[in-house]
Amino acid sequence: MWQWFHKLGSPKWFFGIATRFMPWLLAGGLLLLAAGLVWGLAFAPKDYLQGNSYRIIFIHVPSAFLAQSIYISMAVAAVVTLVWRMKLADVFVKAIAPVGLIFTFLSLFTGAVWGKPTWGTWWVWDARLTSMLILLFLYGGVIALDRAINDEKSAARAVAVLVLVGVVNIPIIKYSVDWWNTLHQPATFKLTEKPSMPMEMWVPLLLSVLGLYLLFGWLACIRMKTEILIREQRTRWVKDMVLAGRK
Amino acid sequence: MHPIRKKRLTIVLFLVAGLAIAVGLTTYALRQNINLFYDPSEIADGKAPVDVRIRAGGMVEEGSVVRDPESLKVEFRVTDYSASVAMEYVGILPDLFAEGQGVVAMGRLNAEGRFVADQVLAKHDETYMPPEVAEALERASKGRHQAADVEKAAESTAY
């Protein structure tokens, strides 16, 4: 197990693995996401109260899931950076922070668009919406801090500490709707109970969530590969590969 | 594990645990401010300030909505099934406003304990269902409601 873990630390090894997995991630992600979205947006039944406007959940919920999962994975990588000083962990954090920022923005935006006709307001300072906004700022802070420090190693450590500090926000987002009175409704999906939604609605939702996870995997691979090439441009294996590609 | 790494891991764990405790205590102390609205029972207990702009939320009581035919004024009661508060509002209600649905209203509690709202938001719950299912449920529950009403009437005449 430890050998595998140490291999993961090698940028060259990761580069090869990522190249091999990427087409599968892309194909699977596009397929699942397309199936989920077409089914959800066009064929799933209307909601008895909201009519068609509820369909935005097929975009809102997957983006919100991703926004939080990406942050959790960044926090795991931050621990690896701080404890094992693994370069690849820092590459991962740097590569996916902007993706997380975009998904967080997307979930806030789609939520606002849905909130206007459903609640009667674009925005309200309840615990769920506010903690999600804090997540957006955390992503922005991570990106800014990383750009502000020139030295790669100090940037990696500073960013890792910031990511770990921010991870406290994740359980707050998750449980905000249970701990406090909020305008946002509690979770429709719970691990222990049946979803309070019929199967014709949650299956397409699940498909789009899974599809978006796979697409995120593909996006993370692409962005990490770019970052690895920039960082390792002086190494032998990168030079060899570029030369081989040029022929 | 290498001793240095072990030490680093301990520091990281302490950092996260310490932060979690700090944030947990802070949010616990501020819970009344983080709550978006007061429940009807909190208002009934006198926990909500009078004549200060606050939010109050709960379910619109069945059969309590009275619309003024001359204006946009609406009166209704909001309940959390243990206490209820009378509200009035002048303006256009959100589409989802209905009896038995959740609302969050912003306004002031006057001296008589009536809540005068200047904004009413609909609160949606986490259940989604197709219209046919909702209708079927409605029909089923109507039957049950009538039976419950009969029982209630019997009870009240017994006292």
Side-chain angles (χ1 to χ4, degrees), chain A residues 76-241:
Chain A
V76 173
V79 173
V80 175
T81 302
L82 287 177
V83 177
W84 285 274
R85 302 278 140 92
M86 196 188 278
K87 269 195 247 164
L88 206 59
D90 176 48
V91 170
F92 178 72
V93 170
K94 202 176 168 188
I96 66 169
V99 184
L101 179 97
I102 285 169
F103 281 128
T104 312
F105 175 78
L106 209 59
S107 67
L108 284 171
F109 180 78
T110 51
V113 168
W114 175 83
K116 186 64 187 168
T118 316
W119 295 336
T121 181
W122 300 101
W123 183 264
V124 66
W125 292 101
D126 85 345
R128 172 55 72 80
L129 277 65
T130 310
S131 54
M132 208 60 191
L133 189 67
I134 292 173
L135 184 68
L136 185 79
F137 293 153
L138 277 171
Y139 276 121
V142 166
I143 297 168
L145 185 63
D146 185 65
R147 302 257 165 103
I149 304 173
N150 278 327
D151 178 53
E152 210 173 77
K153 275 184 189 160
S154 2
R157 276 177 220 174
V159 163
V161 171
L162 177 61
V163 169
L164 276 182
V165 168
V167 82
V168 184
N169 191 33
I170 294 292
I172 295 183
I173 297 177
K174 172 87 178 79
Y175 294 107
S176 53
V177 288
D178 303 323
W179 290 341
W180 301 294
N181 286 335
T182 54
L183 188 59
H184 194 288
Q185 63 269 27
T188 298
F189 294 94
K190 292 178 202 84
L191 281 177
T192 48
E193 286 166 50
K194 260 180 22 170
S196 31
M197 193 181 233
M199 212 177 85
E200 318 77 289
M201 288 180 185
W202 67 254
V203 173
L205 187 55
L206 188 70
L207 290 181
S208 14
V209 169
L210 290 177
L212 207 59
Y213 269 103
L214 292 185
L215 268 188
F216 161 70
W218 173 75
L219 208 54
C221 284
I222 268 204
R223 294 183 58 87
M224 284 175 77
K225 276 172 71 177
T226 315
E227 182 67 25
I228 288 172
L229 284 184
I230 294 171
R231 287 191 186 192
E232 308 271 308
Q233 50 186 313
R234 282 176 222 293
T235 59
R236 189 67 186 265
W237 69 273
V238 171
K239 280 183 185 159
D240 284 351
M241 192 179 61

Side-chain angles (χ1 to χ4, degrees), chain B residues 6-138:
Chain B
K6 204 170 232 171
K7 205 175 115 196
R8 286 190 201 137
L9 187 63
T10 327
I11 294 172
V12 165
L13 289 180
F14 266 105
L15 170 88
V16 173
L19 265 168
I21 293 169
V23 172
L25 289 175
T26 314
T27 47
Y28 182 72
L30 292 176
R31 65 195 180 282
Q32 203 50 63
N33 299 53
I34 298 173
N35 275 337
L36 185 70
F37 54 85
Y38 288 95
D39 290 330
S41 2
E42 286 173 319
I43 293 173
D45 290 351
K47 281 183 191 154
V50 172
D51 211 31
V52 173
R53 238 170 95 86
I54 54 167
R55 284 202 181 89
M59 299 303 230
V60 180
E61 214 167 87
E62 299 274 353
S64 74
V65 178
V66 182
R67 284 173 205 267
D68 183 5
E70 312 267 285
S71 68
L72 286 173
K73 190 171 170 183
V74 193
E75 288 175 31
F76 51 93
R77 297 190 69 81
V78 166
T79 175
D80 59 1
Y81 303 111
S82 60
S84 75
V85 58
M87 282 197 186
E88 55 182 76
Y89 172 67
V90 180
I92 298 166
L93 291 161
D95 288 352
L96 252 64
F97 179 92
E99 289 177 0
Q101 288 291 323
V103 286
V104 173
M106 184 138 195
R108 288 166 201 274
L109 199 62
N110 67 16
E112 294 98 73
R114 275 177 84 80
F115 192 87
V116 184
D118 50 51
Q119 182 196 36
V120 174
L121 301 177
K123 181 167 158 55
H124 186 255
D125 65 7
E126 70 273 29
T127 17
Y128 296 81
M129 53 180 131
E132 307 85 64
V133 178
E135 266 166 40
L137 277 180
E138 177 93 347

